């Protein structure tokens, strides 16, 4: 049942397609947009069009990029022989925030999930393998999520990469800083114990 | 039926999860007393979630849930078993995923089915102990038998002949002799394995080493399961090597 005139209803319908936006929120946003000055609304429209036009995936690592290579791949100061494999571009932002990593990335654009029918072929795995030799990669860090899909992906890649004679590492699992031990789940605490370090090292 | 707003407790195995919103997940659980339950686990995707790894697929958990109208809400979760041996082995994980997918397809929401729950647990335990080539097939055949699809394996379903059974037809529901044959060809070794799986000697069949016959039984089990649920199983064979 549409009670609004064509253009308003179209706007509500389009907004309603966005993740996390229901019909009621869509209505609220639509009315907000109609109320604000035209310049503000046009600026939003232009930001969307420009982002869609300019942003593509980096040819090398499949991160978001403006142009053929992303900011990290085109930065000469980055260590070229270490690759950090992540599931999504968002994960790069998370790793970058640590300021602990100076190498390059590879975005798989997903994780292996048999139940959803996502296998290695749907991910950027072939592209990862094709980078190893030409770029002289000596270490691959498997930085997928520590959940069942991410673990399966890491195991799959580990099995594929280890025979190539390079260092393959998996990020550690453990307790979040600032948390309480008593709330830790068994698997995490178990792995934290397993991966404990000698105190004087 | 319990009214909305009540808290209840149950044991269950997490079958699969869907992302919901920013940091939540919908968890699908095969429970002991409430059938298949879909529940929201709030904030599980945050690193500091109180649930941590407990609500990952395949986890056997003791839960406290809040009954909602469509989706329940997980209020507490305790691990009973997280099947680490399966989780940390890609082949076993692939097999476990095939079992979870089949149970997800077969289980009815909020329909009490403790046998299904116990069979799944048993299968996961045996998979954790040993990755037998027949673990998925054994589970599928047992599950189908329990749901009422128990194939005829002793005589030909066409003419009643009890010798020279060389084929298996899913539409006919069992084995066929050389004269009546239709469906898939069936070797003597595979027929023997099928009889053992459905005749109470599952443990013995699971101990069999990988062979052409185990492969045949495995393929047939997948086809029978797909025939029964009337759709393809996405996870079967996806992580198999080769």
């Amino acid at each position: 049942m549409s009670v609004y005139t064509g253009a308003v209803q179209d706007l509500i319908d389009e907004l309603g397609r966005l993740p996390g936006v229901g019909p009621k929120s869509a209505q609220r946003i639509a009315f907000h947009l109609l109320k604000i000055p035209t310049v503000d609304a046009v600026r939003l429209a232009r930001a969307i069009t420009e982002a869609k036009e300019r942003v593509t995936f980096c040819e090398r690592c499949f991160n978001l990029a403006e142009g053929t290579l992303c900011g990290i791949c085109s930065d000469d100061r980055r260590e070229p022989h270490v690759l950090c494999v992540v599931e999504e571009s968002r994960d790069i932002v998370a790793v970058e925030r640590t300021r602990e990593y100076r190498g390059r990335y590879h975005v798989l654009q997903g994780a292996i999930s048999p139940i959803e029918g996502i296998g290695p072929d749907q991910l950027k795995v072939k592209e990862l393998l094709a980078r190893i030799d030409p770029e002289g990669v000596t270490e691959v860090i498997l930085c997928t999520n520590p959940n069942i899909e991410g673990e399966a992906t890491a195991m799959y890649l580990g099995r594929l990469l280890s025979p190539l004679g390079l260092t393959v590492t998996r990020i550690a699992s453990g307790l979040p800083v600032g948390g309480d031990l008593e709330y830790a789940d068994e698997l995490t605490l178990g792995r934290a114990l397993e991966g404990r370090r000698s105190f004087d090292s | 039926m319990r009214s909305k707003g009540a808290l209840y407790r149950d044991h269950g195995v997490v079958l699969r999860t869907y992302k919901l919103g920013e940091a939540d997940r919908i968890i699908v659980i095969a429970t002991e007393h409430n059938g298949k339950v879909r529940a929201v686990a709030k904030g599980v995707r945050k690193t500091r979630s109180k649930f941590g790894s407990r609500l990952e697929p395949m986890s056997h958990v003791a839960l406290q849930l809040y009954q909602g109208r469509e989706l329940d809400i997980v209020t507490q979760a305790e691990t009973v078993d997280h099947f680490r041996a399966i989780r940390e082995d890609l082949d076993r994980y692939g097999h476990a995923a095939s079992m979870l997918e089949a149970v997800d397809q077969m289980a009815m929401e909020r329909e009490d089915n403790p046998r299904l729950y116990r069979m799944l647990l048993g299968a996961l335990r045996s998979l954790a102990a040993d990755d037998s080539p027949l673990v998925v097939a054994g589970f599928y055949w047992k599950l189908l038998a329990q749901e009422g699809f128990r194939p005829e394996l002793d005589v030909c379903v066409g003419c009643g002949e009890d010798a020279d059974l060389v084929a298996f037809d899913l539409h006919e529901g069992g084995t066929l002799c050389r004269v009546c044959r239709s469906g898939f060809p069936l070797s003597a070794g595979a027929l023997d394995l099928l009889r053992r799986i459905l005749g109470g000697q599952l443990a013995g069949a699971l101990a069999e080493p990988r062979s052409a016959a185990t492969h045949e039984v495995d393929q047939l089990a997948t086809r029978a399961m797909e025939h029964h649920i009337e759709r393809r199983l996405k996870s079967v064979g996806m992580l198999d090597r080769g």
Side-chain angles (χ1 to χ4, degrees):
Chain A
M1 178 191 71
S2 64
V3 274
Y4 302 109
T5 51
V8 181
Q9 190 60 45
D10 286 351
L11 180 59
I12 294 174
D13 290 348
E14 287 305 318
L15 289 168
R17 281 179 218 222
L18 299 175
V21 180
K24 209 73 190 160
S25 314
Q27 221 174 68
R28 207 158 40 95
I29 300 170
F31 278 100
H32 171 77
L33 290 173
L34 291 173
K35 215 162 62 183
I36 58 173
T38 312
V39 268
D40 291 343
V42 169
R43 198 167 52 234
L44 172 65
R46 206 171 42 224
I48 296 174
T49 350
E50 271 184 29
K52 279 310 278 182
E53 271 168 15
R54 292 229 300 262
V55 178
T56 50
F57 292 112
C58 171
E59 277 183 358
R60 196 190 277 169
C61 74
F62 301 96
N63 184 13
L64 295 176
E66 287 187 38
T68 50
L69 289 181
C70 71
I72 294 169
C73 284
S74 50
D75 184 351
D76 299 334
R77 288 165 303 177
R78 307 289 301 211
E79 164 78 54
H81 307 297
V82 187
L83 271 191
C84 179
V85 180
V86 294
E87 289 178 23
E88 302 286 348
S89 299
R90 290 193 299 269
D91 301 331
I92 293 188
V93 180
V95 179
E96 281 297 287
R97 272 204 309 259
T98 64
R99 296 167 186 273
E100 299 274 340
Y101 181 67
R102 297 298 304 155
R104 291 200 172 128
Y105 294 91
H106 186 85
V107 183
L108 294 171
Q109 299 191 339
I112 292 177
S113 173
I115 291 185
E116 284 164 51
I118 302 174
D121 297 341
Q122 276 86 354
L123 307 174
K124 303 287 179 195
V125 172
K126 279 195 299 290
E127 289 82 351
L128 170 65
L129 292 179
R131 288 181 68 181
I132 305 294
D133 269 344
E135 290 179 40
V137 175
T138 53
E139 179 176 0
V140 173
I141 305 171
L142 301 172
C143 199
T144 50
N145 286 330
N147 54 27
I148 200 143
E149 290 88 12
E151 292 291 346
T153 313
M155 282 190 282
Y156 178 82
L157 291 177
R159 196 192 260 178
L160 216 59
L161 294 167
S162 301
L164 303 180
L166 36 91
T167 314
V168 181
T169 53
R170 172 85 176 116
I171 49 161
S173 282
L175 299 168
V177 178
D180 271 17
L181 212 60
E182 65 168 313
Y183 288 110
D185 66 280
E186 300 73 13
L187 212 59
T188 308
L189 190 52
R191 287 210 193 153
L193 274 173
E194 228 175 57
R196 68 189 185 273
R197 289 202 217 163
S198 158
F199 207 71
D200 46 30
S201 69
Chain B
M1 180 98 197
R2 200 177 291 108
S3 66
K4 179 182 173 297
L7 281 174
Y8 66 100
R9 285 169 194 227
D10 206 342
H11 282 245
V13 177
V14 181
L15 299 176
R16 65 176 299 177
T17 63
Y18 300 89
K19 285 183 183 175
L20 178 71
E22 191 81 350
D24 308 339
R25 271 184 211 280
I26 293 175
I27 314 281
V28 184
I29 317 141
T31 63
E32 189 171 10
H33 302 296
N34 292 279
K36 186 163 87 172
V37 168
R38 292 157 60 82
V40 177
K42 298 204 164 169
V44 259
R45 281 152 67 198
K46 292 187 182 162
T47 35
R48 286 209 198 148
S49 159
K50 64 178 172 181
F51 297 125
S53 73
R54 292 184 188 106
L55 297 175
E56 294 260 277
M58 206 156 67
S59 296
H60 179 204
V61 280
L63 295 167
Q64 179 173 289
L65 297 137
Y66 174 87
Q67 173 107 38
R69 199 173 311 164
E70 269 171 41
L71 293 168
D72 296 355
I73 296 168
V74 183
T75 54
Q76 278 176 39
E78 247 183 292
T79 309
V80 180
D81 195 343
H82 39 60
F83 297 112
R84 201 166 167 187
I86 302 177
R87 234 168 241 281
E88 295 182 353
D89 179 326
L90 197 56
D91 297 320
R92 289 185 203 204
Y93 169 59
H95 295 153
S98 305
M99 301 200 279
L100 296 178
E101 188 183 359
V103 173
D104 184 26
Q105 294 293 336
M106 283 186 105
M108 306 291 270
E109 278 190 38
R110 302 214 192 272
E111 243 174 64
D112 188 20
N113 195 347
R115 284 191 62 187
L116 177 64
Y117 162 82
R118 277 197 283 276
M119 275 175 63
L120 175 60
L121 260 190
L124 286 173
R125 282 185 188 134
S126 73
L127 178 61
D130 179 32
D131 191 10
S132 152
L134 282 177
V135 71
V136 177
F139 178 67
Y140 279 7
W141 283 117
K142 285 286 197 191
L143 197 60
L144 288 167
Q146 197 229 315
E147 294 289 315
F149 178 79
R150 194 186 181 88
E152 174 61 59
L153 297 172
D154 295 323
V155 292
C156 167
V157 287
C159 63
E161 183 68 47
D162 65 352
D164 210 15
L165 300 168
V166 294
F168 187 95
D169 193 325
L170 292 168
H171 295 280
E172 302 291 334
T175 45
L176 289 146
C177 70
R178 199 171 292 280
V179 184
C180 310
R181 73 176 158 201
S182 64
F184 306 108
L186 185 71
S187 71
L191 177 60
D192 175 54
L193 283 173
L194 275 177
R195 283 179 176 159
R196 281 161 69 189
I197 289 172
L198 289 166
Q201 295 172 51
L202 181 62
L206 286 178
E208 287 289 322
R210 192 175 297 277
S211 65
T214 63
H215 182 70
E216 208 180 321
V217 172
D218 192 42
Q219 295 273 306
L220 203 56
T222 305
R223 290 211 177 106
M225 183 55 86
E226 288 178 342
H227 178 75
H228 182 79
I229 61 174
E230 295 177 335
R231 57 193 294 174
R232 303 273 308 177
L233 289 162
K234 292 182 200 155
S235 58
V236 171
M238 176 176 279
L239 295 176
D240 286 354
R241 267 181 265 202

